[in-house]
PDB file of all heavy atoms in Angstrom:
ATOM      1  N   ALA X 636      18.635  16.851  -2.620  1.00  0.00           N
ATOM      2  CA  ALA X 636      17.290  16.434  -2.271  1.00  0.00           C
ATOM      3  C   ALA X 636      16.401  17.533  -1.914  1.00  0.00           C
ATOM      4  O   ALA X 636      15.211  17.753  -2.299  1.00  0.00           O
ATOM      5  CB  ALA X 636      17.270  15.342  -1.191  1.00  0.00           C
ATOM      6  N   ARG X 637      17.094  18.553  -1.090  1.00  0.00           N
ATOM      7  CA  ARG X 637      16.201  19.716  -0.599  1.00  0.00           C
ATOM      8  C   ARG X 637      15.921  20.570  -1.866  1.00  0.00           C
ATOM      9  O   ARG X 637      14.715  21.169  -1.909  1.00  0.00           O
ATOM     10  CB  ARG X 637      17.050  20.500   0.309  1.00  0.00           C
ATOM     11  CG  ARG X 637      16.962  20.043   1.764  1.00  0.00           C
ATOM     12  CD  ARG X 637      17.631  20.990   2.711  1.00  0.00           C
ATOM     13  NE  ARG X 637      17.316  20.534   3.995  1.00  0.00           N
ATOM     14  CZ  ARG X 637      18.068  20.774   5.176  1.00  0.00           C
ATOM     15  NH1 ARG X 637      19.266  21.322   5.054  1.00  0.00           N
ATOM     16  NH2 ARG X 637      17.606  20.271   6.330  1.00  0.00           N
ATOM     17  N   ARG X 638      16.883  20.691  -2.748  1.00  0.00           N
ATOM     18  CA  ARG X 638      16.615  21.564  -3.862  1.00  0.00           C
ATOM     19  C   ARG X 638      15.431  20.899  -4.721  1.00  0.00           C
ATOM     20  O   ARG X 638      14.533  21.696  -5.202  1.00  0.00           O
ATOM     21  CB  ARG X 638      17.860  21.727  -4.700  1.00  0.00           C
ATOM     22  CG  ARG X 638      18.227  23.269  -4.811  1.00  0.00           C
ATOM     23  CD  ARG X 638      19.637  23.380  -5.564  1.00  0.00           C
ATOM     24  NE  ARG X 638      20.797  22.843  -5.042  1.00  0.00           N
ATOM     25  CZ  ARG X 638      21.515  21.901  -5.686  1.00  0.00           C
ATOM     26  NH1 ARG X 638      21.187  21.479  -6.806  1.00  0.00           N
ATOM     27  NH2 ARG X 638      22.481  21.363  -4.986  1.00  0.00           N
ATOM     28  N   ALA X 639      15.495  19.744  -4.818  1.00  0.00           N
ATOM     29  CA  ALA X 639      14.409  18.937  -5.691  1.00  0.00           C
ATOM     30  C   ALA X 639      13.074  19.094  -5.020  1.00  0.00           C
ATOM     31  O   ALA X 639      12.123  19.333  -5.558  1.00  0.00           O
ATOM     32  CB  ALA X 639      14.873  17.487  -5.805  1.00  0.00           C
ATOM     33  N   ALA X 640      13.113  19.037  -3.662  1.00  0.00           N
ATOM     34  CA  ALA X 640      11.876  19.164  -2.996  1.00  0.00           C
ATOM     35  C   ALA X 640      11.149  20.461  -3.029  1.00  0.00           C
ATOM     36  O   ALA X 640      10.038  20.611  -2.931  1.00  0.00           O
ATOM     37  CB  ALA X 640      12.130  18.732  -1.457  1.00  0.00           C
ATOM     38  N   GLU X 641      12.140  21.507  -3.261  1.00  0.00           N
ATOM     39  CA  GLU X 641      11.529  22.842  -3.454  1.00  0.00           C
ATOM     40  C   GLU X 641      10.589  22.921  -4.681  1.00  0.00           C
ATOM     41  O   GLU X 641       9.717  23.740  -4.748  1.00  0.00           O
ATOM     42  CB  GLU X 641      12.495  23.879  -3.598  1.00  0.00           C
ATOM     43  CG  GLU X 641      13.207  24.301  -2.182  1.00  0.00           C
ATOM     44  CD  GLU X 641      14.560  25.116  -2.401  1.00  0.00           C
ATOM     45  OE1 GLU X 641      14.887  25.486  -3.485  1.00  0.00           O
ATOM     46  OE2 GLU X 641      15.266  25.187  -1.470  1.00  0.00           O
ATOM     47  N   GLY X 642      10.849  22.105  -5.605  1.00  0.00           N
ATOM     48  CA  GLY X 642       9.940  21.919  -6.849  1.00  0.00           C
ATOM     49  C   GLY X 642       8.530  21.471  -6.538  1.00  0.00           C
ATOM     50  O   GLY X 642       7.683  21.485  -7.373  1.00  0.00           O
ATOM     51  N   TYR X 643       8.362  20.951  -5.297  1.00  0.00           N
ATOM     52  CA  TYR X 643       6.991  20.332  -4.971  1.00  0.00           C
ATOM     53  C   TYR X 643       6.599  20.985  -3.625  1.00  0.00           C
ATOM     54  O   TYR X 643       7.066  20.656  -2.564  1.00  0.00           O
ATOM     55  CB  TYR X 643       7.038  18.813  -4.646  1.00  0.00           C
ATOM     56  CG  TYR X 643       7.634  18.046  -5.791  1.00  0.00           C
ATOM     57  CD1 TYR X 643       8.928  17.700  -5.879  1.00  0.00           C
ATOM     58  CD2 TYR X 643       6.926  17.764  -6.911  1.00  0.00           C
ATOM     59  CE1 TYR X 643       9.565  16.956  -6.782  1.00  0.00           C
ATOM     60  CE2 TYR X 643       7.434  16.970  -7.892  1.00  0.00           C
ATOM     61  CZ  TYR X 643       8.765  16.637  -7.847  1.00  0.00           C
ATOM     62  OH  TYR X 643       9.265  15.773  -8.983  1.00  0.00           O
ATOM     63  N   PRO X 644       5.635  21.906  -3.638  1.00  0.00           N
ATOM     64  CA  PRO X 644       5.355  22.772  -2.532  1.00  0.00           C
ATOM     65  C   PRO X 644       4.659  21.972  -1.426  1.00  0.00           C
ATOM     66  O   PRO X 644       4.801  22.336  -0.229  1.00  0.00           O
ATOM     67  CB  PRO X 644       4.310  23.741  -3.011  1.00  0.00           C
ATOM     68  CG  PRO X 644       4.480  23.779  -4.525  1.00  0.00           C
ATOM     69  CD  PRO X 644       4.892  22.508  -4.911  1.00  0.00           C
ATOM     70  N   ASP X 645       4.200  20.771  -1.823  1.00  0.00           N
ATOM     71  CA  ASP X 645       3.538  20.005  -0.741  1.00  0.00           C
ATOM     72  C   ASP X 645       4.456  18.852  -0.286  1.00  0.00           C
ATOM     73  O   ASP X 645       3.990  17.719   0.158  1.00  0.00           O
ATOM     74  CB  ASP X 645       2.144  19.454  -1.180  1.00  0.00           C
ATOM     75  CG  ASP X 645       2.173  18.683  -2.472  1.00  0.00           C
ATOM     76  OD1 ASP X 645       3.380  18.845  -3.140  1.00  0.00           O
ATOM     77  OD2 ASP X 645       1.275  18.031  -2.734  1.00  0.00           O
TER      78      ASP X 645
END
Side-chain angles (χ1 to χ4, degrees):
R637 276 187 167 149
R638 243 182 293 123
E641 281 167 14
Y643 306 99
D645 57 344

